[in-house]
Amino acid sequence: MSEQPAALSTRYSLQARILGAVFVLVLAMYLATLAVLGLPLRDRAQQHLNIGAERELSAMMAAVQDHVLLRDYPAIEQAIRARAFDASILSARFVSPKIAFETRTPPDPQRYPAWFAAILDVRAPHAQSELVVGGTSYGTLAIALDAAPSVQGVWVMAVRFTLLAIGSLIGVMLLLRWHLQVNLRGLYALRTAARTLESGDLSARVSLAYSSPPEVRETKLAFNHMADHVSRLVAALEREHDELLVEKERLRVTIESIGDAVVVTDAAGMIEFLNPKAEELTGFSSGDAQGRRVSEVLPLIDEQNGAPVAGPLELALQRNEVVGLDSHTMIRRQDGATLAISDTAAPIRSADGKVQGGVLVFQDESERRSLMQRLAWQAERDHLTGLLNRRAMESKLAAALHSVQHEARQFIFCYIDLDRFKLVNDTCGHRAGDALLQRLSAIMAQRVEGRNHYLARLGGDEFGLLFVDTALPEALDHIQGLRDEISRFRFEWDDKVFRLGVSLGVTELHGAMTDIGEILAQADTACYHAKSVGGSAIQVYEKTHPALQKINDEMQWVGAITKAFEAHRFALYRQQKVALSPAITTLHYEILLRLRGEDGTIISPGEFLPAAERYGLAPSFDRWVVRNFFAYLDTHPEDEANYAINLSGRSLSDPGTAEFILDEIGQYHFDPERISFEVTETAAIDSLDACERLILALQSRGIQFALDDFGKGQSSFGYLKRLPVAYLKIDGDFVRGMNHDREKLAIVKAMHTLGHELGKQTIAEQVETEEELACLKGMGVDFVQGYLLHRPAPLPVD
Amino acid sequence: MRKIWACLALVLGTACHAAPQTPFAFGVLNHRSLQATAAYWNPILNYVSARSGVPLELHIGRTANETTDRVVAGQLDFAYTNHLFTPKRDRLGWRVLARQDSEGIRGQVVVLDSSPVRTLQELAGKTVAFANPYGFTGYYVPMDDLLRAGIEVAPLFCGNQEAAMGQLLSGEAAAAGVNHQVMASFAQRRQMKYRVLAESEPYFDLAVMASPRVSPADGEKVRQAFVGMSREPEGQRVLRLAAQSLELTKARGFVAADDRDYRNYRSFFSQTRVPVNE
């Protein structure tokens, strides 16, 4: 029902509506005017007729009065007839005592419709009057007037009014139509432009050339702006559409090319698409899988127990969130084979957040999981021997310590240190050393095979063996057997035969132990003692053993050193290295570390450094020295001397040392070329590769190295080629007494000559007599250092 | 036989008495318009008819001459006129019954007060307005004065006296021959000043006269009714009403008169140098 009015309301144009409304309005006004003016007009016509009748009567009376007074009756009749004929008088009658006559004239022919006269309802007026002069009545004159002329007059007026109204209406309509056409021209142009735009011509615009009303002109402008905007939007949409197509193609190629398998489902979890990788992994083609549930195509099982696993996609669709799969999940392919996978399922949402479908991405995890297993294995294994590494052993020890502390269990830890292993390395090289370690590891592993014991390589030629749930005697039996077997072992390499010993330190874990450091320290202490007595010995840690007590004392230094650090009781000293060549004017110093005892006495490094080095504190010293000395250089720009800093063997093997030093240098502004580091020959050789990398890394910033205690090692010369040091610091043992010991003199001379031959400068240390100095000068040594020339002194700190 | 005639006479007399009596035609020499004449005379005639029992009906001619013609033609029974004293009309046998109670009228030759004309002689050859060629004081008397003075003028007849006075006022005529009463009344009404060049002896105004066919009894009744008007309140009221219709300041009654009172008329007409139109 409501559509019909709506259709009617849209059927007629705006022009037709306005014209229609104006037509109805004007017509209504015409009718109203006709009603308002017509009724009084009718009354006026009637009144006019009545007055006319009176006037005619008066006129006729005037015309006949003289005749009446003269009693000229023919003249009276003639005058009445003449008057009645001339005027619109239907009848005129004169009655006197002597005469009575009446004259009638035919009414005017009606030129108006009868209905109009009926509507107008105008009555023919009558009038009569008695002629009395001087009290004497001469007679009565009566007339009836013809209403037709008045009706005709009103009819003519009505016709003229109607014609005028119609003319006005037509004029108004034509004028309005013209006006509308002119003013709606802009609107029609808008319609044309809108249709053109609708048909796809986005360049369609409305011309603003001809004048329009402000509203239409503003609408045109708004339309043109809208069209511009739409054009830009469409252009942007087309551009984005093209980009989307490219993107879609790229995504399609990507999805088909990527190594990940992709499954796309609808919101109900029914598969819509599999990419090639998914087809490969599931064994289903995309077409076959389409419309199936994910669980049919991708049946998931637990890797460990083979139980079915709930699919993540169903969960993702239910929860409307991304869901990852348990890492121990596999799929059972169509051919029955299983495949480890990892996958992620995510819902595909529309802009309003409604779930439109889901996507499941999964990868073949077989290789990665295998690799992870290998990495996990390698993480706790020593790569050379395949045994547990130090970290794994520490983990086992921690677990064992925890067990001891909470359960009545017994654990024995044995520290194994090969004797004379370095001889193999030095004489046959690292390959031989590595081969030796592998053989010995195999022997040791074989002895613990099948037992609940853990064997680990702790580093270098050191091993650890943890006996689980084993009493000390039983463990010692095993250890002795191990020692004996190693003692019997013969290692052959390049026609060389080596017999090795082994030192073993044993300790039993007990609940009073605080950490694994204590376990390691006790075993190490025992092993140290075993080695110190000649090797191939087994020493069980006893707290009251004198020798172990001494070693234990060293360990006390660890605590003392820690306290000293906290109390800032370490101090930097320096000792000058005097250049013997007058060409060298720059002062050279070696930075030395001193510990200030709690009583203020200065303690030389000979007392605390061995313990520090043995218990791994040396790198901390090194870093403390570097940090504080660099700060000194930065705050004392007036000090332009060159300085050498000692680096321990541990720092050399620490891969973070180079980065630490460079970072520290980066914080200050002094010239790094004023800095050199001294490393002992033995430390350098023990960590030859790391030392070489460190020297090369720091040389890039102009920092030089000196090989300290040169000559003390057993194969110094052989390593000189690999160590790009700038200085050789001849060990003081050779310098002291060289003036009267020809052998020392010859060695010093040989080392100095060798150094110079290799382009390195030489430094003789511990020069304490003038004779020694004279020898060195005579030899041409570059720098000399010793109490004779300069005693260590604190850095001139403010 | 006498009884039969007596009965017949009674019957006829009763029949005649029962039938409405035909009124006598009373003609009035109209010096004024028909309306004014009718307005003046109808109340008087109604009164006289009622008082005398002699029904009178006013008859007016378009002009005074036409009224006189009607008299001559025997169409009237009574007349208020002074045209019947010419020798020829005198022989018609009309008798005087009464006249208006006035001192008499005079004929005058008048000019406007502003006119340079001072004497009748100065009017020689000029236009002089008159009422009509039948008026006594309005034509015969002043014209007779002019002719006796030996002055030839161009007469201009204007229909009645006031019309002639109008011509004088407008300058169309150098002088006018008028009734002195009418002239005085006109001048008073129009604020007009005029100068009298010649004036006649007085003549009684128009007389109420009866045709010879009017019986002496009816004549006497009519005379008594006219004469008695000024003595009765109703008659006085009618006279005032009639005078008011003419805007006259004084209502004049009627007095009894006879032919002797109008001898000077007859004498004038027997001696006048003016050709009499009869």
Side-chain angles (χ1 to χ4, degrees), chain A residues 292-367:
Chain A
R292 293 175 183 249
R293 299 206 73 81
V294 175
S295 55
E296 291 178 49
V297 178
L298 201 70
L300 299 175
I301 57 171
D302 189 281
E303 185 182 41
Q304 292 165 340
N305 56 24
V309 174
L313 190 60
E314 284 82 354
L315 293 174
L317 292 176
Q318 283 174 9
R319 298 174 187 169
N320 194 9
E321 63 181 22
V322 178
V323 176
L325 196 62
D326 185 57
S327 58
H328 300 291
T329 308
M330 303 177 80
I331 59 168
R332 192 182 299 282
R333 286 163 50 95
Q334 213 175 2
D335 56 7
T338 57
L339 202 64
I341 64 163
S342 69
D343 66 4
T344 305
I348 301 171
R349 302 186 189 97
S350 58
D352 58 357
K354 194 175 177 183
V355 175
Q356 300 291 319
V359 60
L360 179 68
V361 180
F362 61 97
Q363 301 87 26
D364 180 0
E365 285 287 293
S366 304
E367 279 189 22

Side-chain angles (χ1 to χ4, degrees), chain A residues 472 476 504-508 522 526 538-543 545 548:
Chain A
L472 183 60
L476 285 175
L504 300 117
V506 181
T507 186
E508 183 177 7
Q522 288 184 2
I538 299 170
Q539 177 64 51
V540 177
Y541 180 80
E542 295 172 29
K543 201 173 182 179
H545 193 290
L548 297 181

Side-chain angles (χ1 to χ4, degrees), chain A residues 268-434:
Chain A
M270 309 305 283
I271 292 175
E272 292 180 342
F273 168 77
L274 296 184
N275 77 338
K277 188 65 179 178
E279 288 178 327
E280 178 191 333
L281 294 183
T282 60
F284 280 88
S285 70
S286 184
D288 291 342
Q290 213 164 30
R292 293 175 183 249
R293 299 206 73 81
V294 175
S295 55
E296 291 178 49
V297 178
L298 201 70
L300 299 175
I301 57 171
D302 189 281
E303 185 182 41
Q304 292 165 340
N305 56 24
V309 174
L313 190 60
E314 284 82 354
L315 293 174
L317 292 176
Q318 283 174 9
R319 298 174 187 169
N320 194 9
E321 63 181 22
V322 178
V323 176
L325 196 62
D326 185 57
S327 58
H328 300 291
T329 308
M330 303 177 80
I331 59 168
R332 192 182 299 282
R333 286 163 50 95
Q334 213 175 2
D335 56 7
T338 57
L339 202 64
I341 64 163
S342 69
D343 66 4
T344 305
I348 301 171
R349 302 186 189 97
S350 58
D352 58 357
K354 194 175 177 183
V355 175
Q356 300 291 319
V359 60
L360 179 68
V361 180
F362 61 97
Q363 301 87 26
D364 180 0
E365 285 287 293
S366 304
E367 279 189 22
R368 195 183 71 85
R369 218 168 277 178
S370 169
L371 180 63
M372 289 298 291
Q373 286 171 349
R374 280 204 304 277
L375 287 176
W377 185 84
Q378 285 176 354
E380 59 181 12
R381 294 288 168 170
D382 175 58
H383 68 279
L384 179 64
T385 61
L387 300 176
L388 294 176
N389 59 17
R390 185 181 187 92
R391 185 162 51 197
M393 177 53 80
E394 287 174 350
S395 175
K396 300 294 182 189
L397 282 174
L401 181 59
H402 183 268
S403 296
V404 168
Q405 287 169 338
H406 296 87
E407 300 171 43
R409 297 178 67 179
Q410 285 186 303
F411 293 90
I412 306 297
F413 180 66
C414 174
Y415 199 94
I416 305 167
D417 187 17
L418 297 179
D419 299 331
R420 298 182 296 278
F421 171 71
K422 196 175 289 291
L423 185 63
V424 177
N425 259 350
D426 290 346
T427 53
C428 299
H430 280 84
R431 283 180 59 214
D434 292 345

Side-chain angles (χ1 to χ4, degrees), chain B residues 146-205:
Chain B
L146 285 169
L147 288 176
R148 288 181 183 281
I151 299 165
E152 291 288 333
V153 298
L156 174 64
F157 299 106
C158 300
N160 56 48
Q161 291 199 46
E162 286 192 352
M165 294 165 196
Q167 291 297 313
L168 174 66
L169 188 61
S170 67
E172 291 294 323
V178 298
N179 176 323
H180 86 278
Q181 282 185 350
V182 178
M183 185 64 216
S185 171
F186 182 84
Q188 183 183 8
R189 202 163 63 241
R190 305 291 294 272
Q191 304 288 313
M192 175 186 167
K193 290 183 176 176
Y194 63 98
R195 184 163 57 243
V196 179
L197 296 183
E199 187 175 51
S200 68
E201 62 174 317
Y203 297 89
F204 285 122
D205 207 350

Side-chain angles (χ1 to χ4, degrees), chain B:
Chain B
M1 189 68 189
R2 289 188 61 170
K3 289 183 180 177
I4 294 171
W5 281 108
C7 289
L8 183 62
L10 182 63
V11 170
L12 287 173
T14 306
C16 290
H17 189 262
Q21 193 176 2
T22 304
F24 291 97
F26 189 104
V28 172
L29 197 67
N30 48 327
H31 288 167
R32 295 185 176 80
S33 66
L34 294 173
Q35 293 291 323
T37 304
Y40 185 84
W41 280 102
N42 273 331
I44 294 172
L45 295 185
N46 289 340
Y47 174 82
V48 171
S49 298
R51 280 284 179 259
S52 64
V54 178
L56 299 176
E57 182 180 79
L58 180 64
H59 283 247
I60 315 168
R62 284 188 177 78
T63 62
N65 196 38
E66 184 181 320
T67 306
T68 304
D69 288 346
R70 288 188 187 187
V71 172
V72 174
Q75 294 173 358
L76 302 179
D77 301 304
F78 293 90
Y80 178 69
T81 180
N82 58 358
H83 284 191
L84 300 182
F85 299 113
T86 59
K88 197 174 181 179
R89 290 170 192 158
D90 193 32
R91 289 192 289 272
L92 292 176
W94 284 64
R95 64 179 182 280
V96 174
L97 298 179
R99 64 172 173 86
Q100 273 207 319
D101 183 14
S102 66
E103 294 175 350
I105 55 173
R106 298 168 191 272
Q108 288 179 335
V109 177
V110 299
V111 295
L112 291 178
D113 189 49
S114 58
S115 172
V117 178
R118 298 284 173 181
T119 63
L120 290 175
Q121 283 70 26
E122 290 176 64
L123 288 174
K126 290 192 166 47
T127 301
V128 178
F130 298 98
N132 53 61
Y134 313 103
F136 183 70
T137 53
Y139 175 60
Y140 287 113
V141 173
M143 192 62 182
D144 185 70
D145 285 344
L146 285 169
L147 288 176
R148 288 181 183 281
I151 299 165
E152 291 288 333
V153 298
L156 174 64
F157 299 106
C158 300
N160 56 48
Q161 291 199 46
E162 286 192 352
M165 294 165 196
Q167 291 297 313
L168 174 66
L169 188 61
S170 67
E172 291 294 323
V178 298
N179 176 323
H180 86 278
Q181 282 185 350
V182 178
M183 185 64 216
S185 171
F186 182 84
Q188 183 183 8
R189 202 163 63 241
R190 305 291 294 272
Q191 304 288 313
M192 175 186 167
K193 290 183 176 176
Y194 63 98
R195 184 163 57 243
V196 179
L197 296 183
E199 187 175 51
S200 68
E201 62 174 317
Y203 297 89
F204 285 122
D205 207 350
L206 282 64
V208 178
M209 300 176 76
S211 167
R213 65 172 173 265
V214 177
S215 65
D218 287 343
E220 188 57 31
K221 289 177 186 173
V222 170
R223 174 185 284 159
Q224 292 306 317
F226 270 110
V227 172
M229 277 187 81
S230 56
R231 295 194 294 268
E232 291 185 8
E234 178 60 19
Q236 292 170 359
R237 186 189 69 78
V238 171
L239 285 174
R240 279 199 303 275
L241 188 67
Q244 283 173 4
S245 70
L246 293 182
E247 299 181 3
L248 298 175
T249 54
K250 183 180 178 185
R252 285 194 182 89
F254 293 86
V255 294
D258 56 24
D259 289 332
R260 288 171 298 182
D261 294 329
Y262 290 87
R263 277 183 198 146
N264 56 351
Y265 275 89
R266 290 185 179 93
S267 172
F268 173 82
F269 280 118
S270 62
Q271 297 172 11
T272 184
R273 293 183 182 181
V274 182
V276 178
N277 299 309
E278 291 181 290

